[in-house]
C-alpha cells in the first residue's frame, strides 16, 4: 500500500510513536549528511538499501 505525503502527515498527527520515529530518522539522516558531506542522492540510496533489508 502506498501512502501520499498528506496521509503520512495525518498518521503522524494520530500516532505519536510513528511521528517520533519519523523525527528521529529525519534527524539521523540530517546528521549523517552533515558529518559525511554525502550528496542527497547517496542518502536516498542508503535509505532505500535499509528499507530492502526489512523484506529479508
Amino acid at each position: 500500500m502506498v501512502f501520499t505525503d498528506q496521509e503520512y502527515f495525518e498518521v503522524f498527527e494520530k500516532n505519536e510513536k510513528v511521528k517520533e520515529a519519523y523525527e528521529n530518522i529525519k534527524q539521523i539522516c540530517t546528521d549523517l549528511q552533515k558529518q559525511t558531506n554525502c550528496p542527497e542522492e547517496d542518502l536516498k540510496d542508503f535509505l532505500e538499501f535499509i528499507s530492502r533489508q526489512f523484506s529479508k
Side-chain angles (χ1 to χ4, degrees):
M1 177 176 194
V2 178
F3 293 97
T4 66
D5 289 355
Q6 183 60 37
E7 288 171 322
Y8 276 117
F9 287 118
E10 289 172 8
V11 170
F12 299 160
E13 290 176 13
K14 296 175 184 175
N15 189 317
E16 190 63 32
K17 286 292 183 185
V18 175
K19 181 179 181 180
E20 183 181 331
Y22 167 75
E23 294 295 338
N24 287 338
I25 292 166
K26 192 168 84 170
Q27 186 61 53
I28 289 167
C29 289
T30 299
D31 293 345
L32 181 62
Q33 190 173 28
K34 285 179 182 176
Q35 293 168 4
T36 63
N37 291 320
C38 69
E40 194 169 311
E41 186 64 29
D42 288 356
L43 189 57
K44 180 182 172 214
D45 291 344
F46 180 60
L47 288 170
E48 289 175 1
F49 165 78
I50 291 171
S51 71
R52 288 192 304 272
Q53 302 312 302
F54 286 104
S55 61
K56 291 184 177 185

